[in-house]
Amino acid sequence: MKNKILVTGGAGYIGSHTCIALHEAGYDIVVYDNLSNSSPEAIKRVSTLIDQPIEFIEGDIRDAESLKQVFTAHHFFGVIHFAGLKAVGESVAKPLMYYNNNVSGTITLLEVMSEYDVKNLVFSSSATVYGDPENLPINEESPRSCTNPYGQSKLAVEHILEDLAKSDDRWNLIALRYFNPVGAHPSGQIGEDPNDIPNNLMPYISQVAVGKLKQLSIFGNDYPTVDGTGVRDFIHVTDLAQGHVAALNYLEQQTSPEKSCLDTASTKQTSSKSSSVGFLPINLGTGKGTSVLELISAFSDVSGQAIPYQFTARRAGDIASCYASANKAKSSLGWQAKLPITDMCQDTWRWQSMNPNGYNIS
Ligand code: NAD
Ligand code: UD1
């Protein structure tokens, strides 16, 4: 049996897909989630898909006592930390809620990890930390800046992780900066299930396709892009999930005693410090940009549904183009995205048409 991993936010969209990938890679997992933006049905379906019950604890990352009980009951190799709030507009209206949940919650988690000497973490960061990028594709050295509280909360956690790594070289902290996760599990059993009217493009398109929403508004057609609409780096959620497995494998390799001995033997300068990862930011994207109109056309082709749309004004805070340099993920983690836009649309459509009301099956 491989190492045991705590997955905070594991009932959510990306977390649920990652639980499957972790299980398939042989990891033992414990999911910790307060279900503020997810459903117990997701956990049930993941259990069915992996043909095994999931160890699930309903709890909040801001609740240190509850976390301590979990860390007392289990011996974790590390934590994959998805738990957080993610709606940009809501963060502007309720900044304290976002800082409290995303920043204070992460500090509490890190304090408990430290107390239990669990120092390996994979954190869900976002391409939003790059703000309006000066150069494309965006690499990890690009300047960071954010204009909304959601983005600020991700950036604040990155700074905290950097400081922590500097303070104590036993911490191994990977920040995965996701570009635009879309798609669903190929079974059609789990996928993205927005609470309200979707803010993001792909779930909006799929709800128009299934007839829940009348038409899509395209926010701007005068950007300096291939067709005037925004360009993003859409990445299939199952590829993203594999990126987390690759990050854990990397942490295991870097922190294994054999690795330290090997390094010490082969490199004179290498001391026990060689096993420390420190703070390592890595983009998870495909490296390819797709415009809003290109995505609509691909979705329409695979689903056979028309997607009526109208052009409207630009959305405040939007940028023209955003796509990753995926080189570091390949060179350091040996990971790269495999699935094309057609699979992203096909799998989203399967999930949406099999579950027009998401997990709300009553
Ligand atoms: P999600 O909302 O589906 O999942 C987040 C999960 O965290 C939910 O199940 C929610 O109930 C849980 N949660 C929230 N606050 C919690 C708390 N205080 N204690 C315990 N559980 C809590 O979101 P997702 O799309 O799966 O995103 C996962 C992570 O990735 C988030 O941190 C998000 O900010 C980040 N991210 C997401 C995207 C995206 O487009 N989906 C892009 C970049 C980064
Ligand atoms: C948004 C967030 C970002 C977050 C990311 C993933 C904003 C300003 N940014 O990014 O912080 O990390 O989601 O959760 O909210 N579009 C339409 N019509 C729609 C929806 C979107 O035309 O109804 C366009 C947008 O203008 C953009 C593209 O589609 O050009 C992608 O939008 P979206 O899916 O919201 O992702 P981001 O804007 O990249």
Side-chain angles (χ1 to χ4, degrees), residues 9 11-15 32-38 59-62 82-86 101 124-126 150 154 178-179 181:
Y13 170 45
I14 303 170
Y32 186 87
D33 197 304
N34 67 0
L35 300 177
S36 60
N37 196 38
S38 48
D60 196 296
I61 50 165
R62 292 163 297 180
F82 294 107
L85 299 173
K86 61 168 183 176
N101 200 81
S124 298
S125 190
S126 168
Y150 166 70
K154 291 291 171 193
Y178 312 152
F179 278 66

Side-chain angles (χ1 to χ4, degrees), residues 194 196-205 207 213:
D196 222 328
I197 294 178
N199 298 309
N200 297 117
L201 181 62
M202 184 66 114
Y204 206 109
I205 291 178
Q207 291 197 13
L213 296 169

Side-chain angles (χ1 to χ4, degrees), residues 96-275:
L96 293 179
M97 187 168 108
Y98 271 68
Y99 288 119
N100 182 262
N101 200 81
N102 294 4
V103 183
S104 301
T106 302
I107 291 172
T108 302
L109 172 67
L110 290 166
E111 283 171 345
V112 174
M113 287 175 67
S114 181
E115 192 178 324
Y116 285 79
D117 208 24
V118 176
K119 299 213 158 150
N120 302 315
L121 177 84
V122 178
F123 170 63
S124 298
S125 190
S126 168
T128 198
V129 301
Y130 296 118
D132 195 350
E134 281 165 21
N135 296 303
L136 292 165
I138 307 171
N139 67 36
E140 288 80 355
E141 311 313 317
S142 304
R144 289 170 292 169
S145 71
C146 290
T147 52
N148 60 70
Y150 166 70
Q152 294 286 14
S153 76
K154 291 291 171 193
L155 196 46
V157 171
E158 285 205 2
H159 287 312
I160 290 166
L161 298 181
E162 278 174 282
D163 289 341
L164 199 55
K166 279 185 210 147
S167 75
D168 175 352
D169 67 9
R170 288 170 302 164
W171 285 101
N172 304 295
L173 306 164
I174 298 185
L176 296 177
R177 295 178 180 152
Y178 312 152
F179 278 66
N180 288 64
V182 295
H185 191 265
S187 64
Q189 291 300 314
I190 60 167
E192 187 169 12
D193 182 20
N195 264 338
D196 222 328
I197 294 178
N199 298 309
N200 297 117
L201 181 62
M202 184 66 114
Y204 206 109
I205 291 178
S206 65
Q207 291 197 13
V208 170
V210 85
K212 281 184 82 181
L213 296 169
K214 272 213 171 91
Q215 76 170 356
L216 172 75
S217 292
I218 298 182
F219 303 142
N221 62 346
D222 57 352
Y223 284 108
T225 60
V226 59
D227 55 24
T229 64
V231 165
R232 296 292 184 274
D233 186 341
F234 299 99
I235 172 166
H236 198 296
V237 66
T238 59
D239 271 338
L240 198 72
Q242 292 301 335
H244 292 75
V245 174
L248 274 184
N249 288 340
Y250 179 82
L251 288 178
E252 286 177 335
Q253 280 161 19
Q254 294 300 310
T255 58
S256 76
E258 294 82 11
K259 161 79 169 81
S260 303
C261 293
L262 270 178
D263 282 355
T264 316
S266 61
T267 321
K268 275 192 189 127
Q269 293 92 331
T270 315
S271 66
S272 58
K273 257 185 135 186
S274 66
S275 63

